[in-house]
Amino acid sequence: MAQAKGPMFWTLDPYTGSLTHTKGETGLVKRCWTTLRWTPDGEMLLCGTDAGEVVTFVAQRLKDVIQVCAHGVTQIVGPLPSGIYVASGGAGDVTPFDPNERRSYADGNLPT
């Protein structure tokens, strides 16, 4: 779950039924989260923001902030077979990005 103060990571213990949470560490980065997506391996959380960025978390710690569009991220789709994700923005932007390479392909120069 994401909130203005940072994402909260919840864990359900299937054996005891206990539900616990840990606050994601964001340092000085404070954003309004608009969309969330886990990578297929469950290792990285991708968080879209109202500032048009994708903020990545690994092991509940902020890893990167990638600028992908101008008017807020409304959805994150992927990964495509190439490993690239696509972020859609509030102004109709559609921007490919690679969270592992820590870059946006807003310039249209996709890797071959």
Side-chain angles (χ1 to χ4, degrees):
M1 171 181 228
Q3 50 183 271
K5 295 179 182 176
M8 205 61 91
F9 294 87
W10 293 85
T11 303
L12 176 61
D13 183 329
Y15 299 107
T16 65
S18 67
L19 183 64
T20 57
H21 70 276
T22 306
K23 184 176 182 279
E25 296 180 27
T26 61
L28 297 176
V29 175
K30 304 295 181 207
R31 298 289 187 272
C32 182
W33 315 106
T34 56
T35 187
L36 306 171
R37 178 149 187 109
W38 285 100
T39 56
D41 61 9
E43 295 295 320
M44 189 182 309
L45 178 65
L46 311 174
C47 304
T49 74
D50 65 348
E53 303 155 329
V54 172
V55 178
T56 61
F57 287 86
V58 174
Q60 302 175 7
R61 292 177 185 233
L62 186 137
K63 178 182 175 191
D64 287 305
V65 177
I66 306 165
Q67 184 67 44
V68 294
C69 56
H71 298 285
V73 176
T74 57
Q75 188 172 6
I76 299 171
V77 178
L80 302 176
S82 62
I84 292 175
Y85 289 77
V86 178
S88 62
D93 312 36
V94 177
T95 307
F97 71 96
D98 187 335
N100 295 307
E101 294 293 324
R102 302 177 177 169
R103 74 163 293 203
S104 160
Y105 296 104
D107 58 8
N109 292 326
L110 292 169
T112 56

